[in-house]
Amino acid sequence: MNRDAGRVAVVCGGVGAARFLTGLVQVVDADRIDAIVNTGDDTVLHGLSISPDLDTITYTLAGAIDPERGWGLVDETWITIGALERYESVRPAGSQAAARWFGLGDQDLATHFYRTARLAEGATLTEVTVEIGRAWELPVRLVPMTDDRCSTTVTLADTGEDVSFQDYFVRLRHSVPVAAVRFDGDAQLSAAASEALDGAETIVIAPSNPLVSIGPIRSLPGTDEMLARRRDDVVAVSPIVGGAALKGPADRMLDELGHEASVVGVARIYAPIAGALVIDPVDAHLAEAVEREGLRCVVAPSIMSSPRIARDLAAATLAAAH
Ligand code: FO1
């Protein structure tokens, strides 16, 4: 393999990964970065193909994300989704039409229109993602983990019901306990993702949910084996700080699915594929316990509340790899 000195591949979920990338572009030439992005959260609503993690990273790198919500566009309006209310009264029982629980803003809809139309024309998700990246003038290359269908399905602990990831995350506000998570579909790692991982000098696992953001990428045949072979070049950043998730339900999910909701639990999950784990100073007292799991532990502020902290975290993460 012709490995390219200085190339970085980042294995990504949504918000945490997006913020990490804003730091990384401050310390590495952006054209040397490939972001390999989870598509297990992807959904079809109103007939539209929606790729939440790709969108979150796109809008964040473009400086257009809504900073409060962490998803969708800033200064968004909601006229179209509001107008669906008219159709609720005529919707037959069991129909998914006119669903309003998933917030699609008026400007955001343009992205889903474009993606859906291009996929219908026969383009791959990899190709469409390149086009959307060009439209937003992204400096970093975004690579969907797969061009195939891979859907994260969540089994609810209380009812045993299987629901889609967005049903769990948005409709149920991730407030119900989870019994299991699985990734459906016969998906393969995309050629572009495989090349990016193979060609990178350093591979970073972004501070994303290890189970439902990084998990789908790891589930693709051959991916874990490839990462394990490159283990010394792989650095993970813990999304758990002081036992809590930086955003989303990662802490509860870890607990519910039999893992420890701590940096040590994260270390156990990543030990087969990462040589080092970056943890926040809040967890510095657990550094030895992390190292007992077989990873080098690096302590660096990980709560990316400013561009400077994101930059310093990215620099510390790259330094941890070598
Ligand atoms: N997250 C929410 O919590 N509520 C929403 O209504 C919502 C809408 C939405 C629309 C487009 C998009 O790209 C993302 C959206 N998200 C929403 C975020 C997303 O569902 C989750 O943050 C991720 O799937 C978890 O990584």
Side-chain angles (χ1 to χ4, degrees):
M1 164 87 271
N2 194 4
R3 217 145 267 154
D4 192 349
R7 268 208 99 74
V8 183
V10 186
V11 182
C12 295
V15 178
R19 294 205 178 127
F20 182 83
L21 287 167
T22 64
L24 192 61
V25 294
Q26 297 178 65
V27 293
V28 176
D29 282 344
D31 61 5
R32 307 184 81 76
I33 302 171
D34 293 303
I36 295 141
V37 183
N38 170 40
T39 59
D41 299 11
D42 288 14
T43 190
V44 175
L45 276 168
H46 317 289
L48 297 172
S49 298
I50 301 164
S51 297
D53 286 351
L54 285 167
D55 295 338
T56 296
I57 294 177
T58 299
Y59 297 159
T60 301
L61 288 174
I65 197 83
D66 182 289
E68 305 300 322
R69 290 192 307 269
W71 56 268
L73 288 160
V74 71
D75 298 329
E76 185 58 282
T77 55
W78 307 91
I79 295 168
T80 309
I81 196 153
L84 286 174
E85 189 178 3
R86 175 182 299 278
Y87 296 101
E88 274 181 357
S89 59
V90 298
R91 178 176 60 196
S95 167
Q96 302 301 313
R100 289 193 299 142
W101 55 267
F102 195 76
L104 295 172
D106 297 321
Q107 296 178 78
D108 182 34
L109 277 169
T111 304
H112 314 308
F113 286 161
Y114 185 80
R115 180 182 295 117
T116 306
R118 289 288 294 123
L119 291 173
E121 287 171 358
T124 64
L125 185 60
T126 298
E127 290 165 341
V128 182
T129 301
V130 169
E131 292 162 10
I132 292 174
R134 277 178 35 220
W136 285 93
E137 298 180 0
L138 297 191
V140 170
R141 188 165 70 123
L142 302 198
V143 183
M145 67 180 197
T146 185
D147 285 319
D148 307 320
R149 187 186 72 86
C150 174
S151 307
T152 301
T153 298
V154 175
T155 306
L156 306 181
D158 292 343
T159 59
E161 187 192 355
D162 281 349
V163 297
S164 76
F165 181 78
Q166 295 303 338
D167 266 322
Y168 161 74
F169 194 92
V170 177
R171 190 172 60 78
L172 300 171
R173 299 197 175 89
H174 51 75
S175 62
V176 286
V178 162
V181 167
R182 65 168 199 272
F183 312 113
D184 292 329
D186 190 16
Q188 303 295 318
L189 188 68
S190 68
S194 177
E195 277 160 28
L197 286 173
D198 247 344
E201 184 184 33
T202 306
I203 299 171
V204 176
I205 299 176
S208 299
N209 186 318
L211 303 178
V212 292
S213 297
I214 306 302
I217 304 175
R218 291 184 68 180
S219 79
L220 298 171
T223 309
D224 241 31
E225 292 76 2
M226 181 195 281
L227 292 172
R229 277 195 302 277
R230 302 283 319 273
R231 189 177 180 277
D232 288 346
D233 304 321
V234 181
V235 186
V237 183
S238 175
I240 299 289
V241 173
L246 290 173
K247 190 154 194 324
D251 47 1
R252 272 180 291 121
M253 265 195 157
L254 283 166
D255 193 40
E256 289 159 8
L257 295 175
H259 301 275
E260 194 177 305
S262 74
V263 292
V264 181
V266 174
R268 266 176 216 140
I269 292 173
Y270 287 142
I273 56 163
L277 181 71
V278 180
I279 66 171
D280 189 79
V282 163
D283 293 309
H285 61 288
L286 294 171
E288 278 181 20
V290 165
E291 298 214 323
R292 277 199 294 274
E293 299 301 327
L295 302 92
R296 271 178 301 110
C297 187
V298 173
V299 180
S302 314
I303 303 173
M304 293 174 282
S305 51
S306 73
R308 189 184 55 76
I309 297 174
R311 180 199 67 196
D312 293 349
L313 176 61
T317 302
L318 292 184
H322 301 289

